[in-house]
């Protein structure tokens, strides 16, 4: 068997055998990447097209979950999808929180965003000078800017961002983390958008140019001379985790319409901010 084929089979087996774990689901990531790609400047759009792997065509959305698929072969990348903050503190500090379970500095989603932004900054130089695979840098960065906007990716340490909190989503047994990765989006798609992801993207884009137009400029801002600004996103994230995701939920909670309808606006906002900020970052780095 050809090596690439063997790897695809391995991915397929791994994908069906293991639950998704840490990340917006496939839809959440695709939504963020599609919103972002539609906002790229001409130069950044060209660079992205050139960096995307051939099988993606020119569709960043189709490879926005690549970083989840490679967790199983790039084991070192697993802690780069989230940040664990101290239980119940509801705040975030890079120097205190951005580390993996062994305490290795910078190994969290904010450190990874800085890392892959720096790698992409070498894009305009001659390709050999970087030494990094910039296709991978683009796919990691696009995924991680999505992840940092999922409130429970900046959650508490002892419940692993809601992964150990058992809940029912209506009648189905799941964990709170998964509700935020997938269930809220899935239920919205079914009930409101006729299961059409493009309609959901269109609805978010309408609010980006309408309802939220005045705020969008502040979402795009980054402190002077920086291309990436993950820290404020993480702070917003842990606040949304405390005020919305964890709020009124305990182990065994049954979550229904009241939770779905009150948290859906938070999910819309975080998907919108993720898309806008991914585009702004790529425009700064590749524009
Ligand atoms: C930075 O990127 C390199 C190349 O993918 C990787 O080996 C390293 O673990 C990354 N570090 C962080 C903190 O993202
Ligand atoms: C860069 O990474 C991509 C995605 O993993 C891979 O398809 C490609 O072959 C790599 N390029 C090089 C030059 O190693
Ligand atoms: C867009 O904004 C309107 C008005 O605030 C709101 O009712 C609707 O749910 C929002 N839709 C999305 C997808 O953000
Ligand atoms: C939490 O529960 C209290 C008491 O039922 C309620 O007043 C409040 O609105 C709830 N908060 C959220 C964010 O659901
Ligand atoms: Zn992830």
């Amino acid at each position: 068997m050809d090596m690439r084929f063997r790897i695809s089979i391995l991915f397929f087996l791994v994908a069906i055998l293991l639950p998704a774990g840490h990340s917006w689901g496939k839809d959440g990531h695709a939504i963020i990447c599609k919103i972002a790609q539609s906002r790229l400047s001409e130069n950044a759009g060209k660079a992205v097209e050139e960096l995307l792997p051939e099988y993606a065509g020119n569709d960043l959305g189709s490879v926005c979950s690549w970083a989840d698929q490679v967790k199983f072969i790039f084991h070192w990348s697993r802690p780069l999808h989230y940040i664990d903050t101290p239980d119940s503190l509801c705040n975030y500090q890079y120097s205190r929180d951005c580390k993996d379970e062994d305490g290795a500095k910078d190994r969290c989603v904010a450190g990874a965003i800085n890392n892959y932004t720096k790698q992409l900054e070498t894009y305009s130089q001659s390709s050999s000078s970087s030494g990094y695979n910039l296709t991978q840098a683009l796919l990691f960065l696009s995924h991680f800017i999505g992840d940092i906007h999922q409130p429970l990716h900046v959650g508490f340490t002892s419940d692993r961002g809601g992964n150990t909190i058992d809940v029912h989503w209506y009648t189905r047994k799941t964990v709170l983390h998964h509700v935020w990765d997938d269930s809220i989006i899935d239920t919205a798609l079914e009930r409101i958008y006729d299961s059409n992801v493009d309609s959901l993207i269109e609805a978010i884009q309408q609010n980006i140019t309408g309802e939220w137009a005045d705020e969008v400029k502040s979402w795009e801002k980054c402190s002077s001379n920086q291309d990436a600004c993950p820290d404020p996103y993480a702070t917003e994230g842990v606040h949304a985790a405390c005020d919305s995701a964890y709020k009124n939920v305990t182990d065994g909670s049954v979550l229904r319409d009241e939770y779905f309808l009150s948290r859906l606006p938070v999910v819309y906002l975080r998907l919108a901010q993720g898309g806008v900020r991914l585009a702004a970052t790529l425009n700064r780095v590749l524009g």
Side-chain angles (χ1 to χ4, degrees):
M1 259 190 296
D2 155 275
M3 189 64 179
R4 228 184 265 176
F5 185 58
R6 270 195 249 180
I7 290 174
S8 327
I9 289 187
L10 182 69
F11 276 14
F12 176 72
L13 288 175
V14 157
I16 59 172
L17 292 175
L18 293 172
H22 275 295
S23 208
W24 288 113
K26 228 173 177 331
D27 285 336
H29 279 291
I31 290 164
I32 287 169
C33 279
K34 279 179 196 270
I35 291 171
Q37 201 172 12
S38 76
R39 300 175 63 83
L40 293 179
S41 66
E42 197 182 331
N43 284 344
K46 271 191 207 143
V48 165
E49 182 169 12
E50 195 186 299
L51 288 172
L52 279 173
E54 200 144 325
Y55 62 84
N58 186 24
D59 182 8
L60 184 60
S62 70
V63 283
C64 211
S65 291
W66 173 85
D68 280 332
Q69 291 155 6
V70 299
K71 273 180 193 170
F72 307 101
I73 48 170
F74 298 157
H75 256 272
W76 51 266
S77 70
R78 300 185 71 105
L80 304 182
H81 292 252
Y82 59 90
I83 299 165
D84 284 334
T85 68
D87 292 357
S88 307
L89 269 193
C90 299
N91 64 34
Y92 156 77
Q93 286 170 16
Y94 186 94
S95 56
R96 181 191 65 197
D97 304 331
C98 192
K99 52 181 168 41
D100 65 15
E101 282 176 353
D102 305 322
K105 242 170 85 33
D106 304 325
R107 304 207 66 80
C108 84
V109 66
I113 289 170
N114 291 330
N115 181 32
Y116 290 107
T117 300
K118 279 209 196 76
Q119 292 180 23
L120 278 182
E121 282 165 354
T122 68
Y123 173 73
S124 53
Q125 301 162 18
S126 65
S127 55
S128 53
S129 70
S130 157
Y132 289 112
N133 183 324
L134 296 187
T135 296
Q136 295 188 355
L138 172 69
L139 301 191
F140 274 131
L141 181 64
S142 301
H143 182 90
F144 293 147
I145 289 185
D147 275 347
I148 202 171
H149 283 85
Q150 205 277 49
L152 289 178
H153 278 238
V154 195
F156 300 152
T157 307
S158 69
D159 61 44
R160 300 196 304 115
N163 269 299
T164 65
I165 300 177
D166 292 321
V167 297
H168 277 85
W169 181 248
Y170 296 88
T171 53
R172 190 176 296 192
K173 237 171 98 65
T174 181
V175 293
L176 186 61
H177 189 93
H178 186 261
V179 167
W180 282 79
D181 275 348
D182 293 284
S183 312
I184 296 174
I185 294 174
D186 288 346
T187 300
L189 281 170
E190 277 166 33
R191 283 215 210 159
I192 309 173
Y193 301 98
D194 212 7
S195 297
N196 183 343
V197 182
D198 291 329
S199 310
L200 171 51
I201 293 172
E202 214 168 285
I204 294 175
Q205 281 173 322
Q206 250 163 38
N207 281 0
I208 289 174
T209 51
E211 197 72 11
W212 295 318
D214 291 341
E215 295 161 62
V216 165
K217 282 178 208 75
S218 70
W219 297 352
E220 289 173 325
K221 274 218 186 76
C222 196
S223 47
S224 51
N225 299 329
Q226 295 286 308
D227 283 336
C229 283
D231 289 340
Y233 315 160
T235 296
E236 291 167 0
V238 72
H239 290 160
C242 287
D243 298 343
S244 181
Y246 285 125
K247 191 73 157 196
N248 293 351
V249 177
T250 52
D251 206 48
S253 286
V254 181
L255 308 178
R256 289 190 255 260
D257 280 359
E258 190 184 327
Y259 191 91
F260 169 62
L261 294 170
S262 57
R263 273 58 171 190
L264 181 57
V266 178
V267 170
Y268 285 153
L269 178 69
R270 295 307 275 169
L271 293 171
Q273 291 175 324
V276 164
R277 285 161 167 171
L278 173 56
T281 305
L282 293 173
N283 285 338
R284 282 190 288 265
V285 180
L286 302 170

